[in-house]
Amino acid sequence: MAEGTIAAGMGGSAYIPFDERSGGESVVYFTRELSPAGLLKAYDEVSGALAGKVAVKLHTGEPHGPNIIPRPWVKELMQKRLDAGTIVETNTYYEGGRHNTEVHRKTIQENGWTFAPVDIMDADGTAMLPVRGGKWFTEMSVGKSLLDYESLLALTHFKGHAMGGFGGSNKNIGIGCADGRVGKKMIHTTPGSSDMWDIAEEELMERMTESAKAAIDHFGRNVAFVNVMRNMSVSCDCEGTAAQPVVTPDVGILSSLDMLAIDQACVDIVYAMPPDVRHDMVERIESRRGLRQLTYMAELGVGNARYKIVDLDNGGREVTAADIAAQVGDTWVDDGQGHYAD
């Protein structure tokens, strides 16, 4: 390799157990309540970081996408906790129902995101944010109006992803805040390549992570993360009705002030499931070298790969990813009133 050549790290298919990680620990909150009440419960634990004009970054989905976070849940969150908040999105790099602002607006309406303002952040142009400590970028192109907000809530549907292996908070911000024509091209395409998707595996994970770091560095301490582990197809919500059937069981909702910790905890819960249950999701993550998202976040100092999980359903006692995985699919049943009980 020539001197000065940039190369991606390795190990994107190698899972690192909790006990083999070093560094500090962050706090991750967890509830099994997959309901509006559960979303409020998880959000309340991290809401103190949010002030002023809040951008709520979530995946609004391709037309009639079956697996996105339920609109009634988000409606209740916005009305009860974020009445001055704005849902934010960007246009996509690929052709589809969100490729440009005009068709994107139609899809937003079709999918029922009509109860709160929705800002397509690159509708009126782009802006550059610095990437501190990156090796692929010194700056990243984002939707221009991202800079109009004072706080950022990453409200993420955790699931698989066709190229990223998994889509957590890192993907939601890293791809989701990059604008559809410049930023996403910087992440996915080598300049001059005829293949718009030629960047993949570990290099893609690193580029995505540097993009996410630019956004969260911009907001500083005014960032919070919520990951909803429900309807976890190995396909991203970008695939809409073409998504692969859901075979990974629902888990619950997690929240944190640490992007690495929350994504790592979600991955750890999946890996703690029985081999036959986790098989499809793990195969998707490892075949795309998606675990490099986690190790590169750690290298960039984005957060901690070690954490403690606070169980909001049981008096705040500490639990492990294995504890949560052991209960998945057991006795937690919706009582019809938006609450879960055994």
Side-chain angles (χ1 to χ4, degrees):
M1 183 181 298
E3 184 177 351
T5 300
I6 301 173
M10 304 298 289
S13 61
Y15 177 70
I16 302 173
F18 189 94
D19 290 343
E20 296 179 18
R21 302 171 204 156
S22 59
E25 287 191 352
S26 294
V27 178
V28 176
Y29 302 95
F30 171 71
T31 175
R32 299 159 188 78
E33 290 193 42
L34 284 162
S35 67
L39 182 56
L40 291 173
K41 184 188 292 188
Y43 168 80
D44 285 345
E45 297 297 330
V46 296
S47 62
L50 305 176
K53 192 175 180 182
V54 181
V56 181
K57 176 63 192 74
L58 59 82
H59 199 309
T60 54
E62 288 297 308
H64 310 293
N67 297 324
I68 56 179
I69 299 173
R71 273 75 73 199
W73 299 14
V74 182
K75 181 178 180 179
E76 188 160 332
L77 174 68
M78 300 293 285
Q79 292 181 343
K80 291 187 174 180
R81 300 290 193 274
L82 289 161
D83 59 346
T86 301
I87 295 170
V88 300
E89 270 278 32
T90 55
N91 292 318
T92 60
Y93 187 36
Y94 58 84
E95 295 281 350
R98 300 181 298 140
H99 182 60
N100 60 55
T101 301
E102 182 180 2
V103 299
H104 199 164
R105 285 283 177 207
K106 292 179 181 178
T107 298
I108 286 168
Q109 290 289 318
E110 283 182 39
N111 283 354
W113 302 104
T114 57
F115 51 82
V118 181
D119 178 6
I120 300 176
M121 297 186 290
D122 53 346
D124 294 318
T126 65
M128 301 300 291
L129 292 180
V131 177
R132 302 188 184 101
K135 67 182 179 183
W136 300 104
F137 306 121
T138 58
E139 56 184 5
M140 173 51 58
S141 182
V142 300
K144 181 180 179 180
S145 64
L146 180 67
L147 278 60
D148 294 341
Y149 298 92
E150 297 164 273
S151 300
L152 177 65
L153 171 65
L155 178 53
T156 302
H157 174 216
F158 184 89
K159 67 281 180 185
H161 192 272
M163 295 192 71
F166 71 91
S169 286
N170 185 45
K171 183 268 176 188
N172 185 15
I173 297 175
I175 302 296
C177 290
D179 69 277
R181 298 295 167 268
V182 181
K184 289 181 174 68
K185 186 174 184 179
M186 292 168 66
I187 296 167
H188 285 292
T189 311
T190 302
S193 174
S194 60
D195 178 3
M196 66 188 292
W197 308 111
D198 74 312
I199 296 173
E201 300 187 337
E202 282 91 350
E203 182 177 339
L204 174 63
M205 309 311 150
E206 293 178 0
R207 288 173 177 259
M208 180 196 313
T209 303
E210 291 188 14
S211 176
K213 185 176 188 295
I216 62 174
D217 281 353
H218 171 74
F219 288 101
R221 295 181 180 274
N222 299 120
V223 188
F225 309 92
V226 176
N227 282 6
V228 178
M229 297 185 75
R230 168 192 177 274
N231 280 20
M232 293 180 287
S233 170
V234 299
S235 302
C236 178
D237 296 332
C238 300
E239 297 178 52
T241 56
Q244 292 295 309
V246 173
V247 295
T248 305
D250 292 348
V251 173
I253 304 174
L254 297 88
S255 61
S256 183
L257 299 178
D258 183 323
M259 184 171 74
L260 170 53
I262 193 170
D263 278 2
Q264 181 74 69
C266 290
V267 169
D268 288 344
I269 291 167
V270 170
Y271 271 79
M273 293 177 183
D276 59 328
V277 175
R278 71 180 184 234
H279 175 272
D280 287 16
M281 187 66 74
V282 167
E283 190 279 333
R284 175 56 58 99
I285 292 170
E286 295 183 354
S287 65
R288 272 57 169 184
R289 308 297 191 266
L291 295 170
R292 181 58 179 153
Q293 291 187 54
L294 303 170
T295 55
Y296 197 52
M297 277 191 265
E299 289 174 24
L300 289 176
V302 168
N304 294 315
R306 293 175 61 86
Y307 53 82
K308 66 175 183 179
I309 300 176
V310 174
D311 187 341
L312 300 177
D313 304 329
N314 289 288
R317 70 182 180 90
E318 187 172 341
V319 294
T320 67
D323 294 332
I324 294 169
Q327 290 185 323
V328 167
D330 280 354
T331 58
W332 289 82
V333 179
D334 189 346
D335 66 1
Q337 303 298 318
H339 301 283
Y340 279 66
D342 58 17

